[in-house]
Amino acid sequence: METLRSLLRRAGGERPSRHSYTIYRNVEGPGGEGTGGLELKVVEREEQTLAGDMAALVVPGPQDRTKALTYVVLSALLIFTVAFLLGYVALRGSCPSCAGLRGDLLAMASDEGAAEESPGPGPPLYWADLKEMFQKYLREESIESTIRWVSEGPHCPGSPRMDALTHKVLESFASYRLDQAWTDTHYVGLQRPDRMNPNFLHQLDPQGGVLEKLPLEDPEMYCPYSAPGNATGGLVYANYGRQEDFDALGQKGVNPQGHLVIVRVGEISYAEKVANADTAQARGVLIYPDPWDIPQDPRKAGLSQNRAVYGHVHMGTGDPYTPGFPSFNHTQFPPIQSSGLPRIPVHPISASTAARLLSKLTGLAAPRDWKGRLADVPYRLGPGDPGVRVHLQVNNVKTPTMISNVFGCIEGRFEPDHYVIIGAQRDALGPGAAGSGVGTALLLELARTFSAMVRNGFQLRRTLLFASWDAEDFGRVGSTEWLEGYLSMLHLKAVAYISLDNAVLGDDKFYAKTSPLLTSLIENVLKQVDSPNRSGQTLYEQVTFPDRRWASEDRPLSMDSSATSSPLRGGPGRGVLFVEDARPYPFLHTQDDTYENLNGLLFGRLPAVAKSVAEVVGQLLIRLSHDHLLPLDFGAYGDVLLQRIAEFNPYSSELKSRGLTLQWMYSARGDYTRAAEKLRQDIYSSEEKNERLNRMHNVRIMRVEFYFLSPYVAAPETPFRHVLLGRGPHTLRALLEHLRLLREAPGRFDEGQFRRQLALATWTLQGAANALSGEVWDIDINF
């Protein structure tokens, strides 16, 4: 307005006057950059305005004066408009509040499906930049120190040492300045030895008297969830305790019924060994480490012959006293227990105790491939006459225990409600260097590293959720209870789960127990991480040969891994681990699982090997949390389905004779493959920066694993509902085993049950194809 008055006065013939002007210029902030703010400077000078010059050129008559006034007004509007635009341009680059507003506006536009991506603080970071940044902040010495203090001694759930470790992890998350850090508490039923009434094992004479009190070495080494009570009888050697081992005993006329069986560690879980023995009507089970499976040469860092190897025997995961639902408050739930709890007592014994029993065993000679390396042991099957008689007494007691899972998260910017979860076991019945120390160290270091990256410009699209699990040695109790408590939410929001359990057991071979969705991504990452012990090679080159792809080394998910719960219940999961190629790590799940033993086995390279695992996991997390589109190979299940269905082909004649066919399974597989290809084409033809389309595509991709969960079984009775990777009558594996009965035991084949199994499995596959197709109107089935 002041400028306009001046122009009007000049149009009326007034002489110019002195004016004040405010000049804006950038001033440097504390860091020397021109973003610190604005400096205001007021100056005065006499200036002939444009309107005054124009007025001086004409004679001020009435008409001329009107024209002049019109020119003045138009000139003023022009000057005002130009000045406003110049001022806006200058201010939008220097005003912090304006910049924040601009970012908010762009973020809002992004939510509405705009193609432009919201800018971050600083220049864009590319893949090479992110890898370099991750390497910059990752600290090998932090990993080493954490492994040391975690594995200083046993830290079982509910113990004072475990409570201190819980607080330490929570404080670490808070000190890293994560967006959130908290604990999730459950009240579970764990089983402990009765210190006032310890377990024992006696060898009996033919009259039932105690011939010898056999040592159980360490009272803390036991099998959680063994049935309490006593078992007395002869002794039968059953190799690894697999179903085929018990079948072989039957073929040789050796009946375990009414006797105890002795089996060796390996091949299958403790729970499966006991379940098979229970099915064979054995009275009890003894489990020992044979030198054939677990090195016991002291000169090569072997397990002591007087050490037992512990393991839980619940045929399932989670708190067995609240099967299928979370253990938040027992008073609200009915008093039931898992059907997977064993009905017979079981106990681990050392190799030396096993040798004392097996050396006296009579009966038929064991098959050649059943013979281990116990010194002076002939490996006979038993029970023989008179044979060996033993009395096992197990006095374990159920103990209500409060456990705490610890969480920390870094929230994503564009898809904060989609979680990439990283978990590690925190508890251990022994020192647990490999069992819990390495995993906890990697978890904390990854949390610290990613927090530092975010503070220095890295923008997460999705949320990283770091989880430290309690009571995992009792059958993945902590992770399973949390999953059961938030299952509905996680079905919608969990992108992937990465397990850090048992991540370093050697340094020769790198394995990944993984879902097919992640196989190709892991392979790509292995090509970009240097080997910790082979200079000039990548991990991919270390674990492959010219005639063999890495995928052929892929191993199935273990029932004792926290990575198992994710895909079997609806989200892709994976666990990573280094192992020895020539010999397994002998100290896992023993009192000898110390930092010194683990580091000694690796010739002092434990920190370097653990860092390599951190690099693999870190690059996976960058891809899963940063990429516009989730790098999950949703088409991989097309190949998996083809392989699984092809296993039924040898039985096509038996099916045809009963009016059945595999045509519908192949059709479902074809529909899935076409749906995957259509989704791939939709992605290729869409705009990369269209956030609305990205989110729609990502939701379809991240739920692929969920599509394969059978809707025809109940979660409490059948928690692992995945039709390909799960366990139960709904799976393709169970369907194939049932079909084999037509040739092996026709009398046990139930045609009605098989027809139902086949129909439900087929439609589960078809449902997965339909879900991947997208919207209802996009489904194009040829069923």
Side-chain angles (χ1 to χ4, degrees), residues 186-404:
H186 296 266
Y187 298 86
V188 300
L190 304 181
Q191 197 185 68
R192 309 277 195 188
D194 187 348
R195 296 183 181 277
M196 303 301 295
N197 191 18
N199 304 334
F200 63 82
L201 176 64
H202 293 164
Q203 183 179 349
L204 306 179
D205 59 28
Q207 291 73 37
V210 176
L211 184 64
E212 182 182 10
K213 293 182 178 181
L214 298 168
L216 293 180
E217 289 83 24
D218 190 340
E220 292 299 324
M221 293 295 101
Y222 67 109
C223 287
Y225 300 120
S226 164
N230 68 82
T232 303
L235 193 65
V236 172
Y237 175 54
N239 198 23
Y240 292 109
R242 300 168 299 187
Q243 185 58 52
E244 55 262 40
D245 295 330
F246 283 99
D247 291 343
L249 286 176
Q251 292 170 5
K252 291 180 176 294
V254 179
N255 189 356
Q257 182 177 358
H259 303 294
L260 283 80
V261 296
I262 181 169
V263 299
R264 56 186 188 176
V265 175
E267 296 296 324
I268 59 175
S269 69
Y270 279 27
E272 292 171 295
K273 297 175 191 292
V274 177
N276 292 334
D278 193 0
T279 301
Q281 300 182 6
R283 289 186 176 179
V285 182
L286 300 173
I287 306 176
Y288 80 97
D290 196 286
W292 177 274
D293 309 292
I294 299 179
Q296 296 177 21
D297 184 350
R299 297 168 298 177
K300 298 181 180 179
L303 182 68
S304 167
Q305 290 197 350
N306 296 320
R307 286 292 194 195
V309 180
Y310 66 82
H312 79 91
V313 291
H314 173 215
M315 192 70 167
T317 60
D319 182 1
Y321 305 106
T322 59
F325 48 88
S327 302
F328 285 125
N329 187 340
H330 278 184
T331 62
Q332 301 299 314
F333 300 122
I336 60 176
Q337 65 182 32
S338 169
S339 60
L341 285 173
R343 298 177 296 178
I344 55 178
V346 54
H347 206 283
I349 60 175
S350 66
S352 62
T353 298
R356 293 164 77 168
L357 291 172
L358 291 173
S359 62
K360 301 175 183 178
L361 207 59
T362 59
L364 296 174
R368 184 174 182 178
D369 58 349
W370 285 30
K371 295 183 179 180
R373 291 179 179 167
L374 288 174
D376 302 321
V377 172
Y379 287 96
R380 296 188 175 273
L381 298 179
D385 187 18
V388 177
R389 291 179 56 81
V390 292
H391 175 209
L392 172 65
Q393 180 72 42
V394 174
N395 299 315
N396 301 340
V397 293
K398 175 186 173 183
T399 306
T401 307
M402 185 185 79
I403 65 171
S404 296

Side-chain angles (χ1 to χ4, degrees), residues 420-501:
V420 179
I421 308 171
I422 315 96
Q425 173 179 340
R426 192 175 69 255
D427 66 291
L429 294 181
S436 63
V438 172
T440 299
L442 292 174
L443 182 76
L444 294 180
E445 184 59 16
L446 287 168
R448 188 197 62 77
T449 301
F450 274 91
S451 181
M453 291 173 65
V454 168
R455 292 197 303 272
N456 286 273
F458 177 37
Q459 291 188 32
L460 295 174
R461 296 185 61 83
R462 304 170 192 93
T463 294
L464 288 178
L465 181 59
F466 301 91
S468 175
W469 307 119
D470 199 351
E472 296 292 275
D473 264 349
F474 290 79
R476 306 299 162 190
V477 173
S479 56
T480 301
E481 295 308 307
W482 179 76
L483 183 66
E484 290 175 344
Y486 304 99
L487 191 58
S488 297
M489 178 191 300
L490 295 173
H491 274 170
L492 299 174
K493 299 185 176 185
V495 173
Y497 177 80
I498 297 178
S499 172
L500 301 173
D501 295 339

Side-chain angles (χ1 to χ4, degrees), residues 3-305:
T3 303
L4 184 58
R5 291 192 193 97
S6 174
L7 291 171
L8 290 173
R9 283 197 299 270
R10 287 177 179 272
E14 297 183 17
R15 63 187 301 273
S17 60
R18 301 178 71 86
H19 297 279
S20 298
Y21 294 89
T22 303
I23 299 176
Y24 294 84
R25 69 182 179 87
N26 288 330
V27 295
E28 293 188 351
E33 300 177 356
T35 57
L38 298 174
E39 178 185 62
L40 278 68
K41 184 175 181 181
V42 180
V43 299
E44 291 186 350
R45 68 185 181 92
E46 187 173 340
E47 182 177 355
Q48 183 75 30
T49 65
L50 176 61
D53 293 339
M54 292 173 61
L57 295 175
V58 298
V59 178
Q63 289 185 342
D64 294 334
R65 188 169 296 178
T66 301
K67 289 182 179 180
L69 183 60
T70 302
Y71 289 136
V72 167
V73 173
L74 293 175
S75 300
L77 291 175
L78 178 62
I79 293 171
F80 178 80
T81 303
V82 173
F84 176 80
L85 293 175
L86 290 174
Y88 174 75
V89 171
L91 286 175
R92 77 191 292 258
S94 59
C95 175
S97 61
C98 295
L101 177 61
R102 185 173 72 256
D104 292 340
L105 291 174
L106 286 174
M108 293 171 61
S110 174
D111 289 341
E112 294 299 323
E116 183 175 2
E117 182 178 357
S118 180
L125 297 174
Y126 298 99
W127 175 240
D129 302 320
L130 294 175
K131 287 199 300 180
E132 182 179 355
M133 181 184 288
F134 180 80
Q135 289 281 0
K136 174 182 177 182
Y137 292 110
L138 187 67
R139 297 176 183 169
E140 182 178 312
E141 61 273 14
S142 296
I143 298 175
E144 178 183 13
S145 63
T146 303
I147 300 174
R148 285 184 181 275
W149 60 257
V150 169
S151 58
E152 287 176 352
H155 39 284
C156 59
S159 66
R161 175 162 173 76
M162 186 58 174
D163 291 342
L165 188 56
T166 300
H167 290 300
K168 177 70 174 178
V169 172
L170 183 61
E171 290 173 359
S172 297
F173 282 160
S175 69
Y176 301 156
R177 292 187 282 174
L178 303 186
D179 292 323
Q180 304 287 342
W182 71 99
T183 59
D184 187 72
T185 300
H186 296 266
Y187 298 86
V188 300
L190 304 181
Q191 197 185 68
R192 309 277 195 188
D194 187 348
R195 296 183 181 277
M196 303 301 295
N197 191 18
N199 304 334
F200 63 82
L201 176 64
H202 293 164
Q203 183 179 349
L204 306 179
D205 59 28
Q207 291 73 37
V210 176
L211 184 64
E212 182 182 10
K213 293 182 178 181
L214 298 168
L216 293 180
E217 289 83 24
D218 190 340
E220 292 299 324
M221 293 295 101
Y222 67 109
C223 287
Y225 300 120
S226 164
N230 68 82
T232 303
L235 193 65
V236 172
Y237 175 54
N239 198 23
Y240 292 109
R242 300 168 299 187
Q243 185 58 52
E244 55 262 40
D245 295 330
F246 283 99
D247 291 343
L249 286 176
Q251 292 170 5
K252 291 180 176 294
V254 179
N255 189 356
Q257 182 177 358
H259 303 294
L260 283 80
V261 296
I262 181 169
V263 299
R264 56 186 188 176
V265 175
E267 296 296 324
I268 59 175
S269 69
Y270 279 27
E272 292 171 295
K273 297 175 191 292
V274 177
N276 292 334
D278 193 0
T279 301
Q281 300 182 6
R283 289 186 176 179
V285 182
L286 300 173
I287 306 176
Y288 80 97
D290 196 286
W292 177 274
D293 309 292
I294 299 179
Q296 296 177 21
D297 184 350
R299 297 168 298 177
K300 298 181 180 179
L303 182 68
S304 167
Q305 290 197 350

